[in-house]
Amino acid sequence: MSHAAFVYLDDGISGHKQRLDAVAASIIHKNDLTLSGLVANDEKCHWGTNAAVGPSVRLFTRQLFYTISQRGFWSDYLTDIPPLLVEELRFWLTNLGCLNGYSMTPKVSAEPLYIYTDASSFGYGGYLASLHEFKAQGHWTLQQKVKSSTFRELLAILQVLKVFLKHLEHKRIKVFSDSQSACCIVLVGSRVPELQHIAVEIFNLCFFNDIQIESQWIPRTQNQIADALSKATDLDDYSTYYMPNGVLSPSIDAEAVDCFTQNWSNDTNWLCPPVSLVIPTIRHMCSCKGTGTLIVPYWPSAIFWPMIMPGPGRYASFIKETLVLPKCPHMCIPGKGQLIAYQSKPSVFMDKFRVAQPIWL
């Protein structure tokens, strides 16, 4: 019976899938060394079995290591226990069993999927290299804009992974970024709490979706597409809020990355599309034979208006009822993109809105 072992100079390691076999291999290796005339230093050697928990160790022991390194003596008591230290201890108490064991060979042998991400002061952008039409882009909130560049670059990686999540499950991926700090933090974490929280969220996202992640720094000259996406501004970004007697409620978050891949026939849909997507929205609703409420700007000169009103005073046949909302403060809420584009002048969307409640035949 043979047992695999890796030896480099005077250091070595061996292991086995089963605990009893690992113990047996340890005894055999020790006897073989003795019979060969070699003397092992028992103070440095560990002939038992140790837990092998893989790359998550460094990510979830940063605060533990820092706390230990700050002690003057091993016998010193801890007078202050940081919240991050408590989180790490709870993590290992809960997850040590399921993380025990790490394969030295990649679980997924196929070529990794390449993802490029970048962040600017306006927003984030990224794309899946194997599927060039799959791009992700978004804007920062006012709170996120004032954060450090490392924070934004790291958050950009997380946001792009969320967008492409369905395409990344059970895959091996490699993330490219022009931020050396972000690439490092993805794998080993950070002592800065807000950066560590993002790193942990990335880890959880990958762990629960069976994603094996790597990261690599690249110069900005090789990341121009993601850089351009991060600086793009969405001029159609807006939402509505108007509730006299409960007529309208705030626009809610989207339930899918690409709404036109969903079937709208089983729901009463709340549709508040960007101006550029009003026509595709109407066409998709007709195709699905769905019902819902469509909110559009009262904009007779817009390209989509003939689909709402094909002739003077005549609405399209699929529209059951219409309501023109009065102009009032805060009814139209400019999105992040509009706040960037219209800093010195009012947005066109601050005018009246027309609400159409259509029945699709």
Side-chain angles (χ1 to χ4, degrees):
M1 181 178 181
S2 61
H3 299 276
F6 298 90
V7 179
Y8 178 75
L9 298 180
D10 60 345
D11 294 319
I13 185 174
S14 67
H16 202 278
K17 294 181 179 180
Q18 303 297 327
R19 184 181 183 89
L20 291 178
D21 292 330
V23 173
S26 176
I27 296 173
I28 293 173
H29 292 160
K30 184 177 181 180
N31 291 336
D32 287 346
L33 289 173
T34 302
L35 294 175
S36 300
L38 300 176
V39 179
N41 188 336
D42 289 331
E43 292 183 359
K44 293 184 178 180
C45 295
H46 185 88
W47 297 105
T49 56
N50 276 339
V53 292
S56 56
V57 172
R58 193 171 179 186
L59 177 63
F60 290 101
T61 56
R62 296 194 67 90
Q63 191 63 46
L64 286 166
F65 178 81
Y66 176 76
T67 302
I68 292 173
S69 66
Q70 295 302 303
R71 298 167 65 189
F73 301 94
W74 283 104
S75 58
D76 289 350
Y77 290 98
L78 292 178
T79 57
D80 181 32
I81 302 179
L84 280 179
L85 176 59
V86 177
E87 289 183 17
E88 289 182 353
L89 292 173
R90 286 176 176 169
F91 173 84
W92 289 116
L93 181 64
T94 305
N95 299 292
L96 182 59
C98 64
L99 291 177
N100 187 6
Y102 181 72
S103 175
M104 293 185 179
T105 58
K107 182 169 53 176
V108 182
S109 59
E111 186 72 13
L113 298 177
Y114 295 137
I115 299 175
Y116 292 78
T117 70
D118 198 14
S120 67
S121 58
F122 301 113
Y124 64 89
Y127 66 98
L128 193 56
S130 57
L131 300 170
H132 290 288
E133 69 274 14
F134 279 43
K135 297 180 175 64
Q137 188 267 339
H139 297 102
W140 301 129
T141 64
L142 295 178
Q143 293 77 16
Q144 293 167 342
K145 286 181 64 176
V146 298
K147 296 291 186 179
S148 67
S149 60
T150 300
F151 177 93
R152 296 195 302 266
E153 294 282 0
L154 192 62
L155 187 58
I157 294 175
L158 174 61
Q159 296 294 82
V160 172
L161 290 179
K162 286 182 177 180
V163 171
F164 298 141
L165 185 58
K166 289 186 177 180
H167 302 279
L168 306 179
E169 293 175 343
H170 315 295
K171 297 290 194 309
R172 179 181 167 210
I173 66 173
K174 193 167 189 176
V175 177
F176 293 92
S177 171
D178 54 24
S179 169
Q180 292 183 344
S181 299
C183 290
C184 180
I185 293 172
V186 165
L187 301 179
V188 303
S190 171
R191 282 193 53 242
V192 180
E194 62 181 7
L195 300 182
Q196 177 69 2
H197 288 154
I198 299 176
V200 170
E201 192 169 351
I202 292 174
F203 171 84
N204 290 334
L205 188 73
C206 294
F207 180 78
F208 290 111
N209 291 280
D210 192 25
I211 300 171
Q212 185 177 338
I213 186 172
E214 306 171 32
S215 61
Q216 180 177 327
W217 173 84
I218 56 173
R220 183 170 297 178
T221 54
Q222 298 180 20
N223 202 26
Q224 294 182 355
I225 297 178
D227 178 66
L229 289 170
S230 71
K231 297 175 181 177
T233 302
D234 184 4
L235 300 180
D236 288 343
D237 187 16
Y238 72 95
S239 59
T240 57
Y241 192 106
Y242 179 68
M243 293 191 66
N245 301 321
V247 174
L248 277 182
S249 61
S251 296
I252 59 176
D253 293 335
E255 65 178 29
V257 175
D258 186 353
C259 64
F260 298 122
T261 63
Q262 308 298 305
N263 184 357
W264 296 358
S265 62
N266 299 322
D267 301 301
T268 301
N269 299 276
W270 177 269
L271 307 170
C272 185
V275 171
S276 60
L277 295 179
V278 171
I279 293 177
T281 298
I282 294 175
R283 288 175 175 169
H284 189 69
M285 183 67 94
C286 291
S287 174
C288 293
K289 297 182 179 180
T291 61
T293 301
L294 175 66
I295 301 98
V296 297
Y298 187 78
W299 196 353
S301 61
I303 191 172
F304 65 80
W305 197 253
M307 293 197 72
I308 303 291
M309 186 174 285
R314 179 170 59 89
Y315 288 99
S317 60
F318 53 76
I319 297 177
K320 178 182 178 182
E321 183 181 353
T322 63
L323 173 65
V324 179
L325 297 177
K327 192 173 183 179
C328 64
H330 309 301
M331 184 189 71
C332 176
I333 305 172
K336 302 170 189 175
Q338 289 210 7
L339 291 175
I340 296 172
Y342 297 103
Q343 293 181 1
S344 59
K345 57 183 179 180
S347 166
V348 67
F349 298 116
M350 300 309 291
D351 284 334
K352 293 181 181 179
F353 272 66
R354 177 172 296 275
V355 179
Q357 187 176 21
I359 288 185
W360 308 89
L361 304 176

